[in-house]
Amino acid sequence: MADILVFGAHPDDAEFGMGASMVKFVRSGASLTVCVLSRGEAGTFGTAAQREGEMRDAARKLGGGIEILSFLDCQIFDSYESRIKVAEVIRAQRPKLVFAPYHTHVGNHKDGGAHPDHAATGTIVRSATRYARFAGLKDVHGEPWNADHIIYYMVPRSRMPTLLNDVSDYMEEWEGIARCHQSQMSIRDGKIMEFLRAMRGTNGGMISVRYAEGFITDDPIPFDLPLFMRGTPRQPGAPLG
Ligand SMILES: [Zn+2]
C-alpha cells in the first residue's frame, strides 16, 4: 500500500520527470511506490538488466517501493488488458494520488517527453484509475479502490504546467537519486542533468522560487483556502493554514 503511486513507462521516467517532488513527498512522511511498465530495453543506452538495477538503486535511495510490470519497451499500447494490469496495481497499492506521464503526444518528435510509450502510459493509467473502482469488473483482481486524484508529469514543452511544486530544498538529494540511472547520463551529450535542472529552474521562475516541477491535472482541484493562503503574510483574522 502507498499514499502515492507514480507510474512510468521506462525506468528513468519518474525520477527524471518528478523525482524532486518524490523526495519532497517521502521526506514529508508519505509512502510512495513507483510502478514501471517496462525495463526500457529499446533505449539507446543500457540493457534491461542494467536499467532494472538502476531503478532499484533509485528506489532504495528514495525510500520508496518499486513494482516492475512486464510490458515491452516501445510496445506499450492502450488496451483492455493493459488497463486491467495497471488497475490491479492501483487496487493493490490503494493510493490517494496517482501520477502518470502526460497522456497526450505532442507533434514534435524531438521533444524528450514525446516518446509514444509515455503518452500511452498516461492514457492507460487514466482508464485504469477508473477501472480500479468498478466493483463489478471481475477481471481486475483485488478490492475496488477509488483514488482521489490523478496528476500528470512530463508536461510537453509546448504545454504550460497547471500545477507547480516548489522543490528548491530537494534538488541535491534528487540529483543523487536521478544519477542512479547511470546508463542514461550520456543523453544530450552528457548534459542531461544540466538540462533537467534548467527545466526546473524555468518552472520555478513562474512561481518565484528557484526550482519547481511542473504538472498538469485534468481533474478540477477542490478550492482549499488554507492551501491558497499559505505563505501569505497574515494579519487580520489569522490563523489560516
Ligand atoms: Zn521514458
Side-chain angles (χ1 to χ4, degrees), residues 9-10 12-13 115 118 154:
H10 311 117
D12 55 346
D13 291 346
H115 192 305
H118 298 166
M154 285 188 157

Side-chain angles (χ1 to χ4, degrees), residues 72-84:
L72 294 176
D73 191 2
C74 291
Q75 296 184 43
I76 298 177
F77 302 111
D78 182 26
S79 67
Y80 180 68
E81 292 72 24
S82 305
R83 295 174 186 180
I84 296 294

Side-chain angles (χ1 to χ4, degrees), residues 31-212:
S31 55
L32 183 149
T33 289
V34 174
C35 176
V36 182
L37 272 62
S38 83
R39 288 172 172 74
E41 68 278 3
T44 308
F45 306 103
T47 63
Q50 185 181 7
R51 300 200 67 184
E52 179 171 341
E54 291 170 352
M55 66 178 139
R56 290 192 185 282
D57 285 347
R60 207 171 301 122
K61 267 196 168 178
L62 174 68
I66 183 136
E67 185 140 353
I68 305 168
L69 302 184
S70 51
F71 288 78
L72 294 176
D73 191 2
C74 291
Q75 296 184 43
I76 298 177
F77 302 111
D78 182 26
S79 67
Y80 180 68
E81 292 72 24
S82 305
R83 295 174 186 180
I84 296 294
K85 281 184 198 165
V86 169
E88 281 181 359
V89 177
I90 295 168
R91 283 192 175 183
Q93 294 288 338
R94 305 171 80 77
K96 286 186 178 306
L97 295 181
V98 173
F99 287 87
Y102 190 57
H103 54 67
T104 300
H105 200 311
V106 292
N108 179 358
H109 76 284
K110 290 190 172 178
D111 185 319
H115 192 305
D117 283 352
H118 298 166
T121 298
T123 303
I124 294 165
V125 172
R126 181 173 55 181
S127 297
T129 305
R130 182 172 288 255
Y131 278 20
R133 75 173 195 243
F134 293 150
L137 194 49
K138 302 298 182 198
D139 288 339
V140 184
H141 297 297
E143 289 297 309
W145 180 254
N146 190 8
D148 289 348
H149 294 287
I150 174 166
I151 299 172
Y152 301 96
Y153 65 101
M154 285 188 157
V155 178
R157 287 203 286 281
S158 54
R159 294 288 306 266
M160 178 77 84
T162 52
L163 292 170
L164 287 159
N165 192 20
D166 177 2
V167 292
S168 308
D169 293 341
Y170 302 91
M171 289 295 286
E172 301 320 311
E173 193 175 358
W174 160 70
E175 185 159 343
I177 291 170
R179 283 186 181 279
C180 289
H181 296 282
Q182 276 183 357
S183 66
Q184 306 304 300
M185 289 299 132
S186 336
I187 297 177
R188 292 183 180 264
D189 298 326
K191 295 194 169 19
I192 179 66
M193 292 309 299
E194 206 175 299
F195 170 77
L196 293 174
R197 187 174 275 268
M199 272 175 48
R200 285 159 173 80
T202 303
N203 284 335
M206 288 192 265
I207 52 169
S208 302
V209 300
R210 277 197 76 191
Y211 295 104

